[in-house]
Amino acid sequence: MGENKMVVFIRKYAMIIVLFLVLGFFAITTGGNILRPMNITSLISQNAYVFILTAGMLLCILTGGNIDLSVGSIVCFTGAVGATLMVNMGWHPAVAVVAMAIVGALIGAFQAFWIAYVRIPPFIVTLAGMLAFRGLSNVILNATSISLAEEKGFMKAFGGGSDCYIPDLFNVEGFNLTCFLIGVIVTIAFVSLQVKKRIDRRNKGYENEKLSSFLLTTVPVAVAIMWIITELSLDRGFPTVLIWIMAVVLIYNYITSNTVTGRSFYAVGGNEKATRLSGINTNKVYFLAYTNMGLLSAIAAMVTMARLTSAQPTAGNSYEMDAIGACFIGGASAYGGIGTIPGVIIGAILMGVINMGMFLLGVNQDICKVVKGAVLLLAVIFDVISKRRFKLIAKN
């Protein structure tokens, strides 16, 4: 019984432990540079697309270990469409953003139709999409970049440029008090929601986890939030792109945890046949997963364009691999049916820390890819082995 609890504990907190170990390693080897406020801000802005795409990729993986290989190309294509509308055709940025979202969703729906209703394997459909939309992007852009430097409103809204931060209302020298107060509010809200969830479970007669386990998960997260916010407050404040990241994370965490639709993704990944026999439209679940992936790819295109201050033919390269890797590293099962939004976000942060740490150490990018590949493989090996071991313990 004790071994069973230990296995469960390791499975639940392994990636958090690894994240702190990796962060500690780079903090030592970079002389603390990775923990500087400027680098924390860079970590958020440079990996914003990963956080956004990871939330959508998780839904695809939950349906049975399926993935979407086309997201990087869709990011590039929707970015090319948006830049063309804004710069070349003079559309208002707000209208162009809506158009990008619609285009992304339509692309996702197109691919979802073949996957959900014709039952062509997702790997084949999205591989075709990866090639097709990368080619179409180059056709639209004519193999050149479109600058967005003059689109100040778009840049500020999606985290590009030097003024893409929430204004400080207090103007305290060397410390952004507005950013810090936002962090306090977010932390209080997080702790309150966790306590409320625990009270609700008790009132409904459900068994709660031990108080020690509850504190072990809640307190470190609250401390981490306040530490990150303090670092941002010492730099330039609260970046607007973080609002988009928080919105996506909170919305999709609610969907996967508190809605019937969200639980359907887990059910399909656990046993599709049984799910279908129970009355759930499994075709609709697949359709929603891949349509949603197209929509989030468009949002990722917006933050990518803002950060690069342009739409480029090479934008989105390997984005799908970053999102897939973050999901598996963050605890999503390669077989589907298992994974959480907080877990995959931890995976995304871990990949971001590895990227930032190796960049600060001056490590060659090719070696960085080797390291990320090894981390991904180890995460999947850990998932497979621990699952087998858990089943053996359960039988005994």
Side-chain angles (χ1 to χ4, degrees):
M1 190 68 178
E3 188 177 5
N4 187 22
K5 288 183 178 179
M6 181 60 67
V7 172
V8 173
F9 179 84
I10 293 175
R11 280 176 56 83
K12 191 172 183 180
Y13 301 111
M15 284 304 109
I16 297 177
I17 296 170
V18 170
L19 174 59
F20 279 106
L21 290 175
V22 171
L23 187 59
F25 169 78
F26 283 121
I28 294 171
T29 54
T30 63
N33 284 339
I34 196 170
L35 301 178
R36 292 177 61 187
M38 180 178 63
N39 287 327
I40 298 297
T41 302
S42 297
L43 183 67
I44 293 171
S45 62
Q46 291 175 10
N47 293 278
Y49 73 91
V50 185
F51 298 123
I52 293 169
L53 292 175
T54 296
M57 191 65 72
L58 174 63
L59 300 187
C60 297
I61 292 173
L62 286 177
T63 60
N66 301 306
I67 56 176
D68 188 335
L69 294 173
S70 66
V71 294
S73 296
I74 297 175
V75 166
C76 187
F77 179 75
T78 53
V81 170
T84 300
L85 293 176
M86 281 185 279
V87 178
N88 295 349
M89 301 179 67
W91 285 31
H92 191 280
V95 180
V97 164
V98 173
M100 289 175 66
I102 293 173
V103 169
L106 288 175
I107 293 172
F110 173 76
Q111 295 188 142
F113 170 78
W114 300 108
I115 294 169
Y117 296 103
V118 185
R119 289 295 171 149
I120 298 176
F123 182 88
I124 301 300
V125 174
T126 59
L127 177 61
M130 178 178 73
L131 299 173
F133 291 108
R134 179 64 63 179
L136 288 172
S137 301
N138 280 278
V139 170
I140 293 175
L141 294 173
N142 196 25
T144 59
S145 299
I146 298 178
S147 175
L148 296 169
E150 300 301 319
E151 303 297 333
K152 302 296 184 182
F154 175 84
M155 299 289 289
K156 187 172 183 178
F158 291 97
S162 58
D163 59 344
C164 55
Y165 298 86
I166 294 178
D168 186 11
L169 303 177
F170 301 95
N171 295 317
V172 177
E173 183 68 26
F175 190 81
N176 193 305
L177 187 56
T178 300
C179 176
F180 185 79
L181 291 177
I182 292 174
V184 171
I185 294 170
V186 170
T187 304
I188 293 174
F190 167 75
V191 174
S192 299
L193 287 173
Q194 295 302 107
V195 173
K196 182 179 182 298
K197 187 184 297 184
R198 184 176 176 86
I199 293 173
D200 289 343
R201 286 183 61 85
R202 185 188 63 190
N203 293 338
K204 292 177 181 178
Y206 298 133
E207 183 180 356
N208 270 315
E209 61 183 345
K210 291 182 178 179
L211 181 60
S212 58
S213 298
F214 173 77
L215 294 176
L216 187 62
T217 54
T218 304
V219 174
V221 173
V223 171
I225 292 173
M226 284 308 306
W227 174 73
I228 292 172
I229 288 296
T230 302
E231 294 295 302
L232 294 178
S233 301
L234 291 169
D235 190 28
R236 287 166 286 183
F238 199 95
T240 52
V241 71
L242 187 54
I243 297 175
W244 291 98
I245 296 171
M246 291 175 60
V248 169
V249 171
L250 291 173
I251 290 170
Y252 283 84
N253 184 53
Y254 179 81
I255 290 172
T256 54
S257 303
N258 300 94
T259 67
V260 175
T261 300
R263 303 316 298 175
S264 297
F265 292 103
Y266 290 93
V268 170
N271 190 323
E272 183 180 351
K273 185 177 180 179
T275 302
R276 185 168 58 250
L277 293 174
S278 68
I280 295 175
N281 188 338
T282 55
N283 291 345
K284 182 180 178 182
V285 173
Y286 281 108
F287 187 83
L288 287 174
Y290 285 90
T291 301
N292 171 75
M293 193 70 254
L295 175 62
L296 287 182
S297 297
I299 296 175
M302 297 168 197
V303 300
T304 299
M305 291 166 62
R307 183 173 66 85
L308 299 176
T309 68
S310 64
Q312 302 177 3
T314 56
N317 276 341
S318 299
Y319 278 19
E320 60 279 349
M321 298 307 169
D322 289 336
I324 293 167
C327 284
F328 288 133
I329 291 171
S333 173
Y335 303 107
I338 297 174
T340 64
I341 292 295
V344 299
I345 292 302
I346 289 173
I349 294 172
L350 178 58
M351 291 191 69
V353 169
I354 291 173
N355 283 333
M356 177 67 71
M358 299 189 79
F359 172 78
L360 292 174
L361 291 175
V363 177
N364 185 283
Q365 284 298 307
D366 294 327
I367 301 299
C368 186
K369 291 178 181 178
V370 172
V371 172
K372 289 198 294 184
V375 172
L376 172 59
L377 180 60
L378 288 173
V380 176
I381 291 172
F382 174 80
D383 172 60
V384 173
I385 293 177
S386 62
K387 186 174 292 183
R388 288 178 183 172
R389 188 177 180 186
F390 186 79
K391 288 180 179 178
L392 289 174
I393 294 172
K395 287 181 180 179
N396 296 331

